[in-house]
Amino acid sequence: MARKVTGAEAFVECLRKENVEVIFGLPGGAILPIYDELYDSNIRHILVRHEQCAAHMADGFARATGRTGVCMATSGPGATNLVTGIANAYMDSVPIVAFTGQVPTSMIGNDAFQEANITGITLPITKINYLVKDASDLPRIIKEAFYVASTGRPGPVLVDIPKDVQTTKIEFEYPKTLELRGYKPTIGGHPLQIKRATKAIMDAERPIIYAGGGVIISGAHEELRALAELILAPVTTTLLGKGAFSETHPLSLGMVGMHGTKYANYAMTETDLIIAVGARFDDRVTGKLDAFAPNAKVVHIDIDPAEISKNVGADIPIVGDAKNILRELIKGLRKRPRAEWLNKIEKWKKESPLRYDRSGKELKPQFVVEQIYELCPDAIITTEVGQNQMWAAQYFKCQKPRTFISSGGLGTMGYGFPAAIGAKVGCPDKTVIDIAGDGSFQMTCQELATAVINDIPVKVAILNNKFLGMVRQWQELFYGKRYAATYLDTSPDFAKLAEAYGALGIEVTKPGEVKLAIEEAVRSDKPAVIDFKIAPEENVFPMVPAGAAINEIIDYEG
Amino acid sequence: MKHTLSVLVENKPGVLARVSGLFSRRGFNIDSLAVGVTENPEISRMTIVVEGDDRVLEQVTKQLNKLIDVIKVSDLMAEESVERELVMIKVVAEPKMRSEIMQIADIFRARIVDVSPKTLIIEVTGDEAKVNAMESLLKQFGIKELVRTGKVALTRGLKSVQEEK
Ligand SMILES: Cc1ncc(C[n+]2csc(CCOP(=O)(O)OP(=O)(O)O)c2C)c(N)n1
């Protein structure tokens, strides 16, 4: 029997049905009825200090746990503050559902107070979005939202709920089934294509596996390892693919592309077969397209048909879920020696490892990341954007999926800290460390309040170079050292800032202090910020300049 | 090259914005777009004419298919479908030119749908070639205004672009 409930009551009921345990959000007038209902519910609400961070927290939660993250904001400015977070989740295929309050239906379109057309604004950055005009549609829409966000190629969904819809009484019934005529993701790979891929792999002399975030989303890391070990192919990953294949495995090449390892880029250039799994040949990976992997055939496995042959033509496309496809693929393959290829790769690895000045004269960011790795190899690492992100990607050897969380597609400064909070909420038993830049951290550091008040002890390691470092690096290399608007002359004392919020603050200026500081921060049950005063003009190398081929590499000369 | 796409979509608010937004965001050029409800009131059909090579067409098709409110996308081949467009042309028609204009209209099986002392409105239906020919013939008299519906098309015979059950 259907019960009569308000839209707001129905909302809470629906979230319970979807097993939502936590919402990140900040209230306002247009979403008050829902907040009033949440007040009595057992769904945890984490009050943020800026809605952008609510979306990033939901995103970090989703990436760390594999479950859908939920964020919430009021109408108008609350909703528009979510936009960066939603765009970020869209670019990196992260399942989040964003709920926004909206002005009452009778006022929509009249430029009412705090009205923003948020469904219009988020049209190109959501998988789908909804403006709920009739309260009785709310349960169905919420069910669809969670279903669409988490299936196929995951992504954000927004549901905009006018205030009167939240107070209207409806007959509540949570739909058992869904009917989405236009949405039927392909899961199983086409057997014929898998057969063709099998043959191509058996024929290849110099195959390489190129793994992206899709492997992690699909949970296909075991299958990927089995494939690599069976066909003895080296594995390189994208930034989002870090963790899809253990970087301590002998077949690992680390990351490919602009700041990838030299050996990964050399291997990509000389391969005769790329087995791309859940990766999209982003320009940061391919460099100059005409010179990319000139001798390679491409097997492209992806759940999103629109990614296939978008940037690099696929000879053998296989649309479907990576885990299913790899399982099937492995069945038809046999071991095959490829000594010559693997020897060549070993030689590259020996000749051109990642390098920096290890003399210990200055505090080097690479050293800091290596120390974090050594002391906390099992931690979940999030990053900000810029040099810090690339050093983290290069020097933190990821071993497990869902342990490296970074804004790839959008490159959002300020993402890492709220994402760390979201990840810690999802995985309270894990150590969670945001490897940050001083510029990025200042975009969202107000969430120290959220972390302290809600007892979410994340750690922030600021690689403080007093610059918008990555931009400064480009200026140094390509704009004659004209450092226009990249020097951050007056940043706060980050350790004191942390203390002011009630967190632990530590400052480190010498290499010898690094280990103790990390240990102290991790041991503390409080959120902690370590301000590492690093060598200000350190650069990220190797580097493939924008528009160059990926084997045209600038490297550290030391 | 021009391609005619027949796209079945959910008849819901916002769907047209999603489709047109996709074209502009991805840099695809729309020649024309006509939309109306189908025999099933829950479903609309869009006929979209796009300009581009096979690669562009493939991307357009895939990106359209990715939209959740898009139910089905088909590329209509000219030989296997009937294509029509309706055009209304307001021409300057001084009394002494009238009979000549009406003769042209006759030849094209067009209809005169409005007469005023100085103008005629001619309605013509047909494929692109016919409509273009008509337009260029009427130019000499002076075209005051012109409106086209954009192309609509259906596959010939038993075949149909329908949602898969
Ligand atoms: C929101 C946002 N604004 C601007 C940029 C452009 N950008 C890319 S890296 C970077 C510098 C980042 O500086 P910082 O956080 O100090 O990190 P560093 O590179 O010094 O490690 C900037 C400004 C961006 N990625 N995101």
Side-chain angles (χ1 to χ4, degrees):
Chain A
M1 255 286 290
R3 285 176 299 127
K4 279 242 167 200
V5 299
T6 65
E9 286 173 281
F11 173 89
V12 172
E13 196 62 29
C14 293
L15 262 57
R16 253 198 226 111
K17 297 266 191 220
E18 294 295 332
N19 300 314
V20 173
E21 286 164 14
V22 58
I23 301 173
F24 304 93
L26 193 149
I31 197 151
L32 269 176
I34 283 179
Y35 267 90
D36 190 55
E37 207 52 54
L38 277 175
Y39 197 57
D40 297 325
S41 89
N42 54 7
I43 298 177
R44 183 177 182 198
H45 178 271
I46 292 178
L47 174 63
V48 297
R49 293 298 179 270
H50 188 299
E51 292 89 345
Q52 178 189 345
C53 296
H56 289 329
M57 286 177 202
D59 174 318
F61 174 90
R63 293 199 215 201
T65 62
R67 288 150 56 199
T68 301
V70 179
C71 59
M72 199 153 87
T74 191
S75 66
T80 54
N81 269 352
L82 289 175
V83 169
T84 301
I86 294 172
N88 189 75
Y90 186 74
M91 289 292 271
D92 288 351
S93 312
V94 184
I96 65 170
V97 177
F99 293 101
T100 48
Q102 181 56 281
V103 302
T105 43
S106 59
M107 291 162 84
I108 290 177
N110 288 344
D111 304 316
F113 178 63
Q114 294 197 327
E115 178 183 0
N117 174 7
I118 197 64
T119 47
I121 291 169
T122 58
L123 204 67
I125 52 167
T126 48
K127 268 184 93 171
I128 191 166
N129 63 24
Y130 301 87
L131 169 60
V132 187
K133 286 195 181 137
D134 181 342
S136 58
D137 288 337
L138 190 63
R140 174 185 56 80
I141 287 175
I142 292 178
K143 191 175 176 83
E144 282 183 16
F146 279 89
Y147 176 69
V148 171
S150 60
T151 50
R153 177 179 181 172
V157 175
L158 178 135
V159 183
D160 196 22
I161 313 175
K163 193 167 185 180
D164 57 320
V165 168
Q166 300 169 36
T167 52
T168 303
K169 288 238 173 193
I170 59 165
E171 308 251 328
F172 181 76
E173 207 165 359
Y174 205 54
K176 290 197 179 62
T177 54
L178 284 177
E179 208 217 330
L180 285 159
R181 281 179 283 223
Y183 182 67
K184 296 189 178 80
T186 310
I187 302 301
H190 197 291
L192 203 74
Q193 294 297 81
I194 293 176
K195 222 176 186 166
R196 290 180 59 210
T198 310
K199 175 155 190 332
I201 292 169
M202 292 311 294
D203 288 348
E205 295 296 334
R206 300 183 305 282
I208 186 171
I209 297 173
Y210 155 56
V215 174
I216 295 170
I217 295 170
S218 153
H221 48 283
E222 298 285 354
E223 288 75 7
L224 189 84
R225 185 172 51 82
L227 174 71
E229 290 177 352
L230 179 63
I231 66 173
L232 290 172
V235 181
T236 186
T237 74
T238 64
L239 181 72
L240 294 194
K242 269 179 75 75
F245 187 75
S246 172
E247 293 180 304
T248 55
H249 193 289
L251 286 169
S252 170
L253 297 175
M255 189 172 73
V256 67
M258 182 173 272
H259 291 296
T261 61
K262 279 180 148 174
Y263 36 94
N265 286 335
Y266 291 154
M268 224 15 162
T269 306
E270 294 214 1
T271 179
D272 63 353
L273 181 74
I274 298 174
I275 306 162
V277 193
R280 60 188 177 88
F281 294 94
D282 179 73
D283 53 271
R284 286 292 186 268
V285 162
T286 61
K288 187 174 164 195
L289 267 179
D290 306 334
F292 178 72
N295 310 311
K297 266 196 169 181
V298 174
V299 173
H300 195 169
I301 299 169
D302 204 291
I303 198 155
D304 181 358
E307 286 304 341
I308 285 169
S309 297
K310 187 180 79 178
N311 299 332
V312 170
D315 301 279
I316 306 172
I318 314 179
V319 175
D321 181 64
K323 195 179 175 85
N324 286 327
I325 293 171
L326 292 183
R327 249 194 217 145
E328 288 307 308
L329 190 60
I330 289 165
K331 287 186 192 160
L333 292 165
R334 277 162 294 114
K335 254 210 160 75
R336 176 179 178 304
R338 290 190 171 92
E340 204 181 315
W341 177 228
L342 292 184
N343 286 340
K344 195 166 201 180
I345 284 169
E346 271 321 298
K347 192 167 146 263
W348 283 330
K349 279 190 178 178
K350 283 220 179 66
E351 279 170 10
S352 32
L354 290 171
R355 288 179 313 148
Y356 69 92
D357 174 8
R358 291 177 192 269
S359 66
K361 279 192 282 243
E362 285 179 306
L363 179 54
K364 293 288 185 184
Q366 300 92 331
F367 174 73
V368 175
V369 177
E370 280 181 336
Q371 289 285 296
I372 295 174
Y373 171 61
E374 223 135 85
L375 296 169
C376 322
D378 298 324
I380 294 178
I381 297 297
T382 71
T383 79
E384 299 296 341
V385 168
Q387 294 182 312
N388 60 85
Q389 179 181 35
M390 292 300 118
W391 286 318
Q394 292 176 333
Y395 289 91
F396 196 95
K397 307 290 168 215
C398 277
Q399 296 170 44
K400 296 215 179 74
R402 302 196 180 282
T403 59
F404 191 87
I405 296 177
S406 189
S407 168
L410 199 66
T412 312
M413 288 170 70
Y415 167 78
F417 181 44
I421 295 175
K424 182 74 181 170
V425 168
C427 306
D429 299 333
K430 286 266 208 169
T431 300
V432 182
I433 304 172
D434 171 32
I435 295 181
D438 45 320
S440 297
F441 184 59
Q442 289 184 77
M443 290 208 178
T444 51
C445 60
Q446 76 284 348
E447 300 305 324
L448 276 167
T450 310
V452 169
I453 291 163
N454 293 286
D455 199 9
I456 307 166
V458 293
K459 317 296 168 183
V460 183
I462 305 176
L463 306 178
N464 183 355
N465 51 12
K466 294 202 195 148
F467 276 106
L468 296 169
M470 184 58 94
V471 182
R472 186 209 56 75
Q473 175 170 344
W474 284 49
Q475 290 170 330
E476 177 186 331
L477 298 174
F478 312 118
Y479 292 87
K481 292 203 181 186
R482 289 158 53 82
Y483 295 163
T486 44
Y487 184 51
L488 298 176
D489 18 15
T490 46
S491 287
D493 178 326
F494 289 113
K496 278 197 187 142
L497 181 75
E499 300 282 347
Y501 275 106
L504 174 67
I506 308 173
E507 187 179 289
V508 171
T509 53
K510 296 190 198 70
E513 302 164 353
V514 172
K515 184 161 178 255
L516 276 178
I518 297 169
E519 281 171 349
E520 186 189 347
V522 171
R523 209 180 318 114
S524 165
D525 51 12
K526 287 200 242 173
V529 175
I530 318 176
D531 183 7
F532 292 101
K533 308 269 198 210
I534 61 161
E537 298 197 30
E538 184 67 14
N539 285 333
V540 179
F541 289 126
M543 176 180 195
V544 178
I550 57 170
N551 59 347
E552 296 168 8
I553 302 170
I554 311 175
D555 200 1
Y556 163 69
E557 315 276 350
Chain B
M1 223 190 106
K2 278 187 187 168
H3 297 269
T4 307
L5 299 179
S6 188
V7 185
L8 291 180
V9 301
E10 297 286 345
N11 180 13
K12 280 194 208 153
V15 177
L16 180 59
R18 256 185 196 276
V19 170
S20 60
L22 181 121
F23 276 80
S24 64
R25 183 168 93 78
R26 302 241 173 219
F28 306 138
N29 284 324
I30 301 185
D31 252 45
S32 72
L33 187 156
V35 51
V37 73
T38 62
E39 70 283 3
N40 177 348
E42 288 178 359
I43 297 178
S44 293
R45 183 188 303 273
M46 293 184 183
T47 308
I48 308 177
V49 180
V50 290
E51 177 87 55
D53 56 18
D54 287 351
R55 222 189 131 94
V56 169
L57 184 77
E58 187 183 331
Q59 262 298 308
V60 170
T61 309
K62 284 173 170 176
Q63 293 292 349
L64 280 171
N65 267 317
K66 213 166 134 170
L67 298 181
I68 286 153
D69 286 329
V70 168
I71 301 164
K72 177 137 199 213
V73 183
S74 321
D75 182 11
L76 300 183
M77 296 294 165
E79 329 76 81
E80 290 164 24
S81 62
V82 183
E83 304 186 341
R84 288 290 178 273
E85 183 170 21
L86 186 144
V87 182
M88 290 198 282
I89 307 173
K90 186 186 286 177
V91 277
V92 180
E94 299 293 342
K96 58 178 190 303
M97 305 316 272
R98 271 213 179 156
S99 64
E100 196 178 334
I101 293 171
M102 284 160 81
Q103 255 177 16
I104 293 174
D106 234 26
I107 294 167
F108 281 90
R109 296 213 193 96
R111 299 195 305 152
I112 313 278
V113 291
D114 182 66
V115 184
S116 81
K118 292 219 157 83
T119 60
L120 292 175
I121 296 180
I122 300 172
E123 172 204 300
V124 60
T125 320
D127 59 19
E128 212 179 338
K130 175 175 168 185
V131 170
N132 289 346
M134 173 106 196
E135 185 189 337
S136 65
L137 270 178
L138 291 175
K139 263 202 185 117
Q140 52 177 316
F141 306 101
I143 295 176
K144 283 196 82 79
E145 270 187 304
L146 182 151
V147 60
R148 321 173 75 121
T149 55
K151 188 191 283 181
V152 294
L154 280 181
T155 49
R156 288 180 189 274
L158 257 183
K159 268 181 64 191
S160 65
V161 178
Q162 261 185 1
E163 68 168 307
E164 275 139 24
K165 293 282 156 110

